[in-house]
Short mmCIF file of all heavy atoms in Angstrom, two decimals:
data_model
loop_
_atom_site.label_atom_id
_atom_site.label_comp_id
_atom_site.label_asym_id
_atom_site.label_seq_id
_atom_site.Cartn_x
_atom_site.Cartn_y
_atom_site.Cartn_z
N GLU D 27 10.21 11.93 11.34
CA GLU D 27 10.36 11.29 12.65
C GLU D 27 11.67 10.52 12.76
O GLU D 27 12.10 10.20 13.86
CB GLU D 27 9.19 10.34 12.91
CG GLU D 27 7.89 11.04 13.20
CD GLU D 27 6.71 10.09 13.37
OE1 GLU D 27 6.88 8.86 13.15
OE2 GLU D 27 5.63 10.56 13.71
N PRO D 46 10.53 21.54 -10.55
CA PRO D 46 11.18 22.79 -10.15
C PRO D 46 11.40 22.82 -8.63
O PRO D 46 10.57 22.31 -7.87
CB PRO D 46 10.17 23.87 -10.57
CG PRO D 46 9.28 23.21 -11.56
CD PRO D 46 9.26 21.75 -11.21
N ARG D 48 11.13 25.18 -6.54
CA ARG D 48 10.07 25.91 -5.83
C ARG D 48 8.85 25.01 -5.61
O ARG D 48 8.17 25.11 -4.59
CB ARG D 48 9.71 27.20 -6.56
CG ARG D 48 9.01 27.01 -7.87
CD ARG D 48 8.73 28.33 -8.61
NE ARG D 48 8.11 28.07 -9.87
CZ ARG D 48 8.74 27.66 -10.96
NH1 ARG D 48 10.04 27.46 -10.95
NH2 ARG D 48 8.08 27.44 -12.08
N VAL D 64 -0.98 17.38 -18.06
CA VAL D 64 -0.03 16.28 -18.23
C VAL D 64 0.95 16.61 -19.36
O VAL D 64 2.14 16.26 -19.29
CB VAL D 64 -0.76 14.94 -18.46
CG1 VAL D 64 -1.43 14.88 -19.82
CG2 VAL D 64 0.18 13.77 -18.27
N ARG D 82 25.80 17.07 -16.89
CA ARG D 82 26.51 15.92 -16.34
C ARG D 82 27.52 15.34 -17.33
O ARG D 82 28.63 14.99 -16.97
CB ARG D 82 25.50 14.85 -15.92
CG ARG D 82 26.11 13.68 -15.19
CD ARG D 82 25.07 12.67 -14.72
NE ARG D 82 24.43 11.96 -15.82
CZ ARG D 82 23.19 12.17 -16.25
NH1 ARG D 82 22.42 13.04 -15.67
NH2 ARG D 82 22.70 11.50 -17.27
N LEU D 98 15.67 6.25 -30.58
CA LEU D 98 14.21 6.20 -30.64
C LEU D 98 13.66 6.12 -32.05
O LEU D 98 12.45 5.96 -32.23
CB LEU D 98 13.61 7.42 -29.92
CG LEU D 98 14.02 7.61 -28.45
CD1 LEU D 98 13.31 8.80 -27.86
CD2 LEU D 98 13.73 6.36 -27.65
N PHE D 126 16.25 5.66 -22.15
CA PHE D 126 17.44 6.42 -22.53
C PHE D 126 18.02 7.16 -21.32
O PHE D 126 19.22 7.13 -21.08
CB PHE D 126 17.12 7.41 -23.65
CG PHE D 126 18.30 8.19 -24.11
CD1 PHE D 126 19.16 7.67 -25.07
CD2 PHE D 126 18.60 9.43 -23.57
CE1 PHE D 126 20.28 8.37 -25.48
CE2 PHE D 126 19.71 10.14 -23.98
CZ PHE D 126 20.56 9.61 -24.94
N ALA D 143 5.10 12.42 -7.88
CA ALA D 143 6.50 12.29 -8.27
C ALA D 143 7.42 12.44 -7.06
O ALA D 143 8.36 11.67 -6.88
CB ALA D 143 6.84 13.34 -9.34
N ASP D 205 9.59 -29.65 1.18
CA ASP D 205 8.79 -30.85 0.99
C ASP D 205 8.86 -31.76 2.22
O ASP D 205 7.92 -32.48 2.52
CB ASP D 205 9.26 -31.63 -0.25
CG ASP D 205 8.91 -30.87 -1.53
OD1 ASP D 205 8.04 -29.97 -1.48
OD2 ASP D 205 9.52 -31.18 -2.58
#
Side-chain angles (χ1 to χ4, degrees):
E27 287 176 354
R48 69 183 178 282
V64 71
R82 187 177 68 254
L98 303 183
F126 182 85
D205 290 342

